[in-house]
Amino acid sequence: MRAFVWLAAFAPFLAHRLPLAHRGAAGFDFPAIAALDGEDLFWLAVVAVDGAWLIARRARLAAALPLLAWLAVALAAAARPDERTAKLRDGPREPGERALFSPIGFGPEESDWTLVMAPGVALPLPPSSRHWLGSDGQGRDLLARLLHGTRVSLGVGAAATAIALAVGLMVGLLCGTLRGAVDLVLMRVVEVLLCFPHLFLVLIVFAYLPHSRTTMILLLGLVGWTTTARLARGELLRLRDQEFVLAARSLGASPLRLALRHLLPNALAPVLVAATFSVAGAMLAEFALSWLGLGVAPPTPSLGRILAEGQPLIARAPFLSLAPGLLIFAVVTSFNAWGEALREATTPEFSASRQAAGGSAP
Amino acid sequence: MKVGLASAIGLGSAALVVALAAAARQGVGPSERTGDPSGHASFATVASFAGSDAGRRSLRGGSSEAPRHGGTMTQSVTASYGTLNNITRTKSGEELVCRTYLFPPLLDLDPDTFEIVPLVAASRPEISPDHRRYTWRIRPGIRWHRGLPDGSPVELSTADVEFSWRMIADTRSGAVKAKGALGPVESVKAVDRYTFVVETSAPYFRSELEFGYDFRIMPAHLCTQDPEAFGKDPLGRAPVGYGPYRFDEWKEGAYLSLVRNPEWFAPEKLPYWVDRVRIHFVPDVNQVPTLFERGELTLVAVNDCSRYEEMRKDAAWLERATFHEYYLPHVVFITWNGLHPAFADPRVRRAMTLLNPRDLVRDKIYRGHAQVVSGPWAVTARECDPSIAPLPFDPPAAAALLDEAGWQDHDGDGWRDKYGKALRFVLEYSQTTAPVFTVGLGWFQEQLKAAGVAMETRAVELNQLAAELGEHRYDAAMLGWVADPRDDDVYDRFHSDAIDAGSNYGSYRSAECDRLVEAFRAEFDESARLKVAHAIHRRLAEDQPCTFLYNPQSLVLVSTKLRNVKLHAMGARWFDWWFAE
Amino acid sequence: MRTWLVRRLLLGFPTLLGITIVTFLLSRLAPGGPFADLADPEGGRPITREHRAALERNFGLDRPLLEQYANWLKRFAQLDFGESLAPDRRPVRQKIVEALGVSIGLQAAAVLLMYAVGLPLGVWCAARAGTRLERWIGRALFLVHSTPTLLLGTVLIALFCTGRLASLPLLGLRTPGLRTDGAWAAFVDVARHSLLPIVCLALAGLAGVTRYARAGVLEALRQPWIQAARARGLPERRVLARHALRNGLAPTLTLLGNLLPWLVGGSLAVETLFSIPGLGRLSTDSILGRDYPTVMALSVLVGVATMVGFLVTDALYVVARRRTELE
């Protein structure tokens, strides 16, 4: 799973339309690095933190990568972007002009016009030295799209889960500590949210809001907090009966202190475990939505969208559909495996009461 | 829970089965070329069969086998039928079944020449000099599939015609499309058992064809007489008609089965050798070639041109199927909303067309199985002026036009803008659009980006798209339109009256175009009318209210078990095919 | 216990009301209306404004929202679900019962299959926990669990309906026009058609059941009385069967709380792939077609089923808690 996150973070370096470094008449510049935006930097920051953690645990080999990330950030400040260098790949060059392109050489959203317009060339392009996994039906490099698509799917899944986690924990805490009427009402709200046809919500949201990743994240987050809430509440109700809580209460701790200091840290473990499964679920939901055409707007790649585009070509180029499918369940499987490992590490006893409180679906 | 969401909305890709749907708009039947002996040659020998199994004789040319009754023609549609009530039905799939098999129309079109041919009508109607009174005569001897409860047969008569008109005209019955298709009809009155008179409110050259082709008849002796209950009449689920096929079984969500009517009244024109018809409801379009392979379907349309080409070279496929291509008057186009600040300017619209790599899409995606069009008609239509060439793919010219129109990159952000607003828009299309149409959009998007225009494409639910188009609340939309095979009238699409009340989604307003369209409608002489049509074509090509994209071919596979397979100009009409032993 | 149950049941009514209100509001908020067929921008002459207004008047869609909802509620209280707005205008109850019959049959069979395979598999995994084979089986289960149902179905179709192993039918639930003499032949026909859809549905939940069974049995095996039984020299099989199974498989019962909502869920993916007219397609089609009466009726159905499911899960928790309290 770590591999996927790191690959996602470094996607803009592995597959970009613009060259990484370019020397022209005006001197050196780094177009691809200069084109990094806030989201790219966030991913790099995540990786930097992870790398730092690895260093702290003395994993020497991994130490180099976060350093590279920081180096990229520093270079970005000094670079001047130049759009015209995109044509450098196949077009005419001035004497002395050199360009260093990313390893894959193509961005995820641009068609390879040189090949597309060449007569006698059939789409999708088969794998070749120019396109390592071939292209999709529109002439866009498949490997680049898969890489960036994984990044988008992962990003959406993680962000949606983060929101779901935050909201769900809050609601679960409220229910678990305050109990009584608050608990009753909030649980009914949860039931209502789970029972009405979600397709309507999806349709309405995508009718009135722009088709962007933010919309997807908000939608998935606001629909998904219910599971976390029920789980958190179940945990809290279970923990309330433990001795340490009774002790704290008898010492006069306020409900807030009780919740934050005593209950939350202990309830967190199974909630976090469920969260990892949630990320997988959110990714699958985003996959399904993109497949229906309701996800992020093209040309932004996402694994579901790549699959949807590849489906009509399935007889001629089955790999176009298989690849995103394989990727999605590789990522989801790795998240599930991570979650399982986490669960076994944090819950040595698998008691019936916890299972009843969890109650996840077949 | 999210997995539940995911699986609950994991809809299979439902593409538009254009060929079959479009084929549904076309009519039935070959010509009755009165007085033309050469035309009779193919039917002279057939006439001796007179709808019975007696006699076996070989036919001219096409096949050495003798025609025989038997076999089941199996086809598929994506969407389930709602109702087969001939008057309240709305979908094109239902139209195919009703018009072709159950309730043939008064007037039909020759599938090759598109000439008007009387079918249920005994002859073409008498038209009054002011073109407002049409006297129709029904052919006697046409029997409904089911008669009175005591078993006695009932003939199609003006009682049915009057009853049907009463239902169509009454808004409580929900016969919305039936009424809309008839145009300016005011009244329908019976004169005697087989004669009735139709009065229209204004002279319109299409009135005869529209009424003859689109007037829908239902049995007066079996249906409920109450307009409010008419839409729910059980005959909608078990229709009784008078056509070449009788209703057999309708398994909800699975298939519709029809069986041959031995009392069919026009076997010399339309023999219909095949014994049974079965139409399966297959929501996943990708499965259709698989089903054909398994022999469960005998006539299918293929959307993917590259796959079609590959099948043509595959020996296994050549054994199972014969391959046919034909052009329907189906045009795919992008409509620009004239209320958008950029698209109100014809120069911008022209620039959009110049930036669209249509030839590339035709070559690479359609593999030549389409034509680039410059107007709302197919290249093969008579209304289309072949001398008007489509605009070429010319980015520099487009850039010049956009500059001239005032859209330049004033603020250096890479996008053209005017008065501080960047040139960005959303192009919408229906979710059910076949993927083959949307690849071209991706290339269009990239070309626009290179030219400094930001386009976002969006697949939108049909309901929402219809609402937005009707209220003119969109930027641009990609749509398809199947024109009428003859005398297509674009009043509903490009006349300024149609902005509020019609399909003029782009709010296109042009005094000259209005004048031409009105002249077209009032012209009763065919050759003069075609000249006006050419003028309309020229005006539309100049103004570019829409970017007309392609006229795609329909690609059809027919099982090799069928004999005498030939496709007409109108499409896969199989009335004269039969199954081998 | 009893008071808790009664209280929860009573609370069900306002929750159901809330569900219907939310569904009603959302369905009206979604753009477009039930007459999109008629306003199809790609097909023929559109209908006039007057005609559309007349249609809306006919069906009471021009009334204020509150009145429309109140009308619906009044009729619903008399168990009258109204008529569908789809062109077939059939009674909603008839459409739902038809689709429900199909879906319940398939889902019930899938659940049986899931438990029939999942429980023994889980027990076996627990008995062989940690061995290489068991770990591979675990990974295979994850693979299946993580694959979207549509992909799974496509693979199964590709394997068993086309190509060399083609042996199973693809369309629907019955062979059309097949004359079956006797109930057995008809049953076999339906069984052959539904095998793949049931397998598809079962695979989706198999991993969960197996996981729960395995974990439960493993935990039961760790209990001290198991050690005692082993120490007494009882054969392993008896230890497993008599002691571990009964306690270990109890947690899987909690999954049954989700049984009812699952039964009325209907998998859209499977129904689309195999052309089965079940609840998944009915609900999606009625939402996309803005068939308000059908949508409301379905949301009530799903709502009731889900609430009952929650009730069962929570009740089991309460029972378990009471039992641990007694210990």
Side-chain angles (χ1 to χ4, degrees):
Chain A
M1 194 211 63
R2 169 173 277 127
F4 286 117
V5 174
W6 281 59
L7 268 178
F10 284 102
F13 297 104
L14 290 171
H16 205 287
R17 176 171 61 89
L18 302 170
L20 292 173
H22 166 245
R23 183 182 76 171
F28 274 99
D29 61 325
F30 305 93
I33 295 167
L36 289 177
D37 59 14
E39 189 202 335
D40 300 324
L41 294 178
F42 175 76
W43 279 99
L44 291 173
V46 164
V47 152
V49 165
D50 189 37
W53 193 63
L54 283 173
I55 294 175
R57 305 188 70 203
R58 289 167 175 60
R60 265 173 292 258
L61 196 61
L65 289 167
L67 283 178
L68 261 181
W70 285 111
L71 190 65
V73 170
L75 283 174
R80 292 184 317 276
D82 185 359
E83 287 274 324
R84 287 168 300 192
T85 56
K87 292 209 174 55
L88 275 181
R89 189 183 305 113
D90 302 315
R93 296 184 189 187
E94 298 159 23
E97 193 176 14
R98 304 248 185 283
L100 171 70
F101 281 89
S102 50
I104 295 179
F106 289 92
E109 297 177 11
E110 50 154 348
S111 309
D112 186 356
W113 286 102
T114 321
L115 282 187
V116 163
M117 296 189 111
V121 172
L123 293 168
L125 305 165
S128 63
S129 56
R130 192 176 162 94
H131 294 278
W132 297 348
L133 282 184
S135 81
D136 70 350
Q138 211 173 296
R140 297 177 290 202
D141 186 84
L142 186 61
L143 185 56
R145 273 184 82 75
L146 286 175
L147 201 55
H148 282 256
T150 316
R151 174 186 155 100
V152 168
S153 293
L154 254 174
V156 168
T161 309
I163 294 182
L165 204 63
V167 178
L169 263 181
M170 235 174 17
V171 171
L173 269 179
L174 280 173
C175 286
T177 48
L178 295 178
R179 299 181 95 181
V182 172
D183 180 29
L184 232 48
V185 167
L186 278 177
M187 277 302 108
R188 303 286 83 73
V189 167
V190 164
E191 276 183 10
V192 168
L193 276 181
L194 279 176
C195 292
F196 75 83
H198 295 124
L199 188 57
F200 257 136
L201 190 62
V202 171
L203 288 176
I204 292 171
V205 164
F206 281 104
Y208 295 116
L209 291 178
H211 289 213
S212 69
R213 267 171 284 176
T214 326
T215 318
M216 285 279 284
I217 291 170
L218 281 174
L219 178 69
L220 290 175
L222 291 176
V223 169
W225 62 261
T226 48
T227 328
T228 321
R230 272 177 70 83
L231 191 61
R233 171 183 173 271
E235 275 303 297
L236 282 171
L237 289 178
R238 193 187 63 89
L239 285 172
R240 280 188 74 92
D241 303 328
Q242 306 277 353
E243 289 94 12
F244 73 96
V245 173
L246 292 171
R249 250 198 291 161
S250 64
L251 285 175
S254 73
L256 187 65
R257 188 182 163 81
L258 202 68
L260 288 180
R261 237 195 117 209
H262 298 277
L263 295 173
L264 185 57
N266 291 294
L268 212 50
V271 170
L272 280 182
V273 167
T276 59
F277 294 114
S278 244
V279 173
M283 282 186 72
L284 281 175
E286 189 270 333
F287 183 79
L289 283 176
S290 296
W291 193 357
L292 287 180
L294 289 173
V296 288
T300 315
S302 124
L303 292 176
R305 168 158 296 285
I306 300 173
L307 179 68
E309 289 166 0
Q311 251 193 329
L313 306 169
I314 198 163
R316 275 184 292 141
F319 188 63
L320 274 180
S321 311
L322 276 178
L326 285 170
L327 259 182
I328 188 96
F329 75 57
V331 179
V332 163
T333 311
S334 67
F335 265 99
N336 283 342
W338 202 49
E340 270 297 300
L342 213 65
R343 180 195 288 231
E344 292 202 7
T346 57
T347 59
E349 290 142 30
F350 213 70
S351 59
S353 65
R354 177 170 278 124
Q355 284 169 21
S360 48
Chain B
M1 176 258 128
K2 291 209 185 74
V3 180
L5 179 67
S7 62
I9 57 181
L11 188 71
S13 53
L16 190 66
V17 186
V18 171
L20 285 175
R25 281 182 67 91
Q26 311 322 311
V28 185
S31 63
E32 181 198 76
R33 295 175 221 233
T34 46
D36 182 349
S38 60
H40 263 294
S42 54
F43 301 103
T45 45
V46 178
S48 67
F49 287 89
S52 74
D53 291 313
R56 296 228 172 261
R57 233 183 279 178
S58 55
L59 266 130
R60 58 141 177 107
S63 170
S64 54
E65 277 183 39
R68 54 178 282 277
H69 287 290
T72 308
M73 181 72 84
T74 38
Q75 300 172 257
S76 77
V77 288
T78 355
S80 239
Y81 297 144
T83 176
L84 288 175
N85 180 321
N86 197 23
I87 290 179
T88 57
R89 58 172 169 81
T90 52
K91 302 191 182 144
S92 49
E94 297 159 356
E95 191 174 338
L96 170 76
V97 171
C98 289
R99 177 178 286 144
T100 317
Y101 309 130
L102 293 169
F103 304 95
L106 287 160
L107 292 180
D108 200 9
L109 291 177
D110 181 297
D112 288 303
T113 64
F114 299 105
E115 275 175 33
I116 294 178
V117 169
L119 189 58
V120 167
S123 60
R124 286 178 72 160
E126 275 169 29
I127 309 178
S128 67
D130 64 353
H131 293 278
R132 289 185 52 188
R133 236 177 109 86
Y134 297 79
T135 309
W136 294 84
R137 250 173 284 277
I138 301 177
R139 190 180 155 141
I142 300 177
R143 288 200 185 153
W144 289 97
H145 294 153
R146 183 150 53 103
L148 295 170
D150 62 6
S152 54
V154 175
E155 268 188 13
L156 181 72
S157 68
T158 48
D160 301 304
V161 170
E162 276 201 324
F163 167 72
S164 304
W165 169 249
R166 194 155 60 82
M167 289 298 144
I168 291 175
D170 194 324
T171 49
R172 287 173 298 166
S173 65
V176 178
K177 277 216 150 156
K179 181 96 198 326
L182 290 180
V185 170
E186 269 180 348
S187 74
V188 174
K189 288 205 184 60
V191 168
D192 62 38
R193 192 171 150 81
Y194 298 112
T195 320
F196 63 95
V197 172
V198 176
E199 303 254 0
T200 63
S201 58
Y204 181 34
F205 78 93
R206 289 198 88 218
S207 286
E208 177 200 351
L209 181 61
E210 272 185 3
F211 193 87
Y213 199 63
D214 279 323
F215 182 67
R216 311 183 189 183
I217 309 176
M218 282 286 274
H221 63 287
L222 291 172
C223 289
T224 166
Q225 306 287 320
D226 173 21
E228 293 210 357
F230 183 65
K232 300 176 234 166
D233 195 314
L235 276 182
R237 312 289 297 173
V240 171
Y242 50 88
Y245 286 91
R246 248 196 272 222
F247 173 78
D248 176 38
E249 188 193 356
W250 178 358
K251 198 144 166 24
E252 178 62 39
Y255 60 88
L256 170 72
S257 172
L258 304 172
V259 104
R260 191 170 59 87
N261 175 19
E263 292 177 343
W264 165 233
F265 67 87
E268 65 286 346
K269 285 189 219 170
L270 304 167
Y272 280 113
W273 303 107
V274 176
D275 258 351
R276 303 181 86 97
V277 180
R278 196 165 56 232
I279 301 175
H280 286 277
F281 307 127
V282 182
D284 186 7
V285 134
N286 293 326
Q287 298 228 348
V288 167
T290 315
L291 289 169
F292 186 89
E293 235 182 305
R294 291 166 55 106
E296 294 187 44
L297 294 177
T298 52
L299 173 64
V300 297
V302 177
N303 269 334
D304 186 356
C305 302
S306 298
R307 176 112 199 256
Y308 179 79
E309 288 294 318
E310 275 174 28
M311 284 187 202
R312 287 240 299 235
K313 301 187 195 119
D314 185 344
W317 276 100
L318 285 168
E319 254 185 52
R320 310 185 185 111
T322 53
F323 297 83
H324 307 269
E325 303 134 27
Y326 60 96
Y327 280 103
L328 277 176
H330 171 234
V331 172
V332 182
F333 61 99
I334 295 178
T335 176
W336 306 105
N337 190 357
L339 300 175
H340 189 276
F343 302 132
D345 188 340
R347 289 171 298 189
V348 175
R349 298 196 298 256
R350 205 177 169 79
M352 294 292 122
T353 310
L354 289 168
L355 282 168
N356 199 321
R358 293 178 289 178
D359 287 328
L360 192 65
V361 175
R362 181 200 57 208
D363 293 332
K364 294 289 173 168
I365 308 297
Y366 286 106
R367 300 289 190 86
H369 289 292
Q371 305 240 16
V372 177
V373 288
S374 54
W377 296 300
V379 182
T380 49
R382 288 179 301 177
E383 292 88 357
C384 173
D385 183 350
S387 69
I388 303 177
L391 290 174
F393 172 60
D394 194 347
L401 273 173
L402 286 170
D403 286 338
E404 190 192 316
W407 292 93
Q408 289 159 341
D409 187 5
H410 297 115
D411 52 11
D413 63 350
W415 304 115
R416 291 178 185 267
D417 50 71
K418 191 174 176 189
Y419 308 133
K421 292 205 72 176
L423 184 47
R424 20 178 102 244
F425 63 95
V426 175
L427 180 91
E428 295 179 342
Y429 56 92
S430 167
Q431 264 176 354
T432 52
T433 307
V436 70
F437 299 122
T438 54
V439 175
L441 284 183
W443 287 338
F444 188 33
Q445 189 178 34
E446 285 186 51
Q447 291 298 329
L448 285 174
K449 184 171 173 188
V453 180
M455 171 176 91
E456 185 195 319
T457 60
R458 206 182 275 190
V460 164
E461 199 207 344
L462 187 63
N463 229 313
Q464 186 188 340
L465 187 62
E468 289 182 359
L469 286 171
E471 296 165 28
H472 301 284
R473 262 190 309 114
Y474 69 102
D475 295 332
M478 189 176 82
L479 304 169
W481 190 276
V482 181
D484 287 328
R486 57 172 291 147
D487 301 325
D488 183 53
D489 183 1
V490 295
Y491 174 81
D492 274 327
R493 299 171 60 192
F494 296 112
H495 194 278
S496 49
D497 281 350
I499 294 178
D500 278 331
S503 313
N504 189 344
Y505 302 125
S507 306
Y508 171 62
R509 234 177 255 279
S510 155
E512 193 196 330
C513 186
D514 283 357
R515 189 181 56 76
L516 285 171
V517 170
E518 284 158 17
F520 182 86
R521 288 170 71 106
E523 183 57 66
F524 283 88
D525 171 43
E526 190 163 340
S527 53
R529 202 164 55 227
L530 285 177
K531 286 209 184 63
V532 178
H534 289 184
I536 296 178
H537 186 175
R538 189 166 303 277
R539 176 101 308 263
L540 291 177
E542 276 290 320
D543 284 346
Q544 294 280 323
C546 309
T547 297
F548 300 104
L549 297 171
Y550 326 99
N551 169 216
Q553 258 184 339
S554 297
L555 308 169
V556 172
L557 299 178
V558 180
S559 167
T560 40
K561 294 198 205 115
L562 282 158
R563 298 277 175 271
N564 199 27
V565 173
K566 49 184 174 350
L567 260 76
H568 304 275
M570 211 179 246
R573 302 256 44 83
W574 47 265
F575 53 87
D576 49 358
W577 306 354
W578 63 85
F579 276 91
E581 294 285 344
Chain C
M1 184 67 203
R2 201 156 294 170
T3 50
W4 179 86
L5 200 63
V6 167
R7 199 171 57 171
R8 277 297 291 270
L9 282 175
L10 283 179
L11 280 175
F13 289 103
T15 319
L16 198 59
L17 207 65
I19 293 173
T20 57
I21 292 179
V22 168
T23 309
F24 180 80
L25 284 176
L26 281 183
S27 64
R28 297 298 196 269
L29 253 183
F35 308 118
D37 257 2
L38 306 169
D40 188 351
E42 292 178 309
R45 208 169 290 178
I47 58 171
T48 58
R49 286 248 170 87
E50 298 83 49
H51 229 137
R52 188 198 295 268
L55 272 176
E56 290 187 354
R57 250 197 320 275
N58 272 353
F59 294 106
L61 293 173
D62 57 335
R63 299 278 162 75
L65 286 183
L66 202 59
E67 190 182 329
Q68 284 187 49
Y69 181 71
N71 282 339
W72 179 83
L73 204 58
K74 218 186 329 179
R75 294 177 76 176
F76 173 67
Q78 298 159 13
L79 289 184
D80 173 13
F81 294 110
E83 275 163 8
S84 168
L85 287 177
D88 61 2
R89 304 264 189 278
R90 284 196 299 157
V92 171
R93 182 185 295 186
Q94 190 185 42
K95 287 174 84 156
I96 292 185
V97 165
E98 267 179 23
L100 197 63
V102 170
S103 281
I104 278 196
L106 286 177
Q107 306 273 59
V111 166
L112 279 173
L113 186 62
M114 241 179 7
Y115 273 82
V117 174
L119 289 183
L121 190 60
V123 171
W124 181 89
C125 283
R128 303 265 188 284
T131 61
R132 178 182 275 188
L133 182 58
E134 189 267 328
R135 262 185 288 155
W136 274 105
I137 296 220
R139 286 186 196 127
L141 279 177
F142 265 133
L143 216 80
V144 162
H145 182 62
S146 314
T147 315
T149 321
L150 207 59
L151 236 53
L152 211 57
T154 314
V155 167
L156 284 175
I157 289 178
L159 278 178
F160 294 109
C161 296
T162 61
R164 249 168 280 138
L165 287 175
S167 52
L168 289 174
L170 180 52
L171 269 185
L173 287 177
R174 288 232 180 78
T175 313
L178 187 71
R179 240 150 287 236
T180 51
D181 15 278
W184 176 247
F187 175 74
V188 166
D189 189 38
V190 171
R192 283 187 70 226
H193 276 92
S194 20
L195 185 62
L196 279 185
I198 291 176
V199 166
C200 236
L201 289 170
L203 279 177
L206 189 64
V209 171
T210 314
R211 193 181 349 136
Y212 265 81
R214 176 181 176 276
V217 171
L218 264 183
E219 201 218 318
L221 283 175
R222 277 196 270 252
Q223 299 301 321
W225 65 76
I226 297 290
Q227 308 285 17
R230 285 204 186 112
R232 274 197 299 167
L234 287 177
E236 188 66 19
R237 185 163 303 167
R238 205 149 145 225
V239 168
L240 212 58
R242 186 166 289 189
H243 301 280
L245 274 188
R246 218 181 323 146
N247 296 297
L249 291 183
T252 57
L253 287 179
T254 63
L255 289 177
L256 283 178
N258 289 298
L259 183 65
L260 199 55
W262 207 61
L263 278 183
V264 298
S267 166
L268 183 62
V270 168
E271 290 172 19
T272 309
L273 271 181
F274 296 98
S275 311
I276 295 171
L279 271 181
R281 271 172 64 191
L282 180 65
S283 72
T284 309
D285 288 344
S286 38
I287 290 175
L288 290 179
R290 306 288 189 271
D291 186 1
Y292 302 133
T294 312
V295 168
M296 298 294 285
L298 279 172
S299 75
V300 165
L301 182 68
V302 169
V304 167
T306 315
M307 287 198 305
V308 169
F310 281 163
L311 194 74
V312 168
T313 317
D314 288 350
L316 284 172
Y317 160 71
V318 168
V319 163
R321 192 158 147 253
R322 296 279 165 85
R323 278 178 64 190
T324 55
E325 277 175 359
L326 290 170
E327 274 170 20

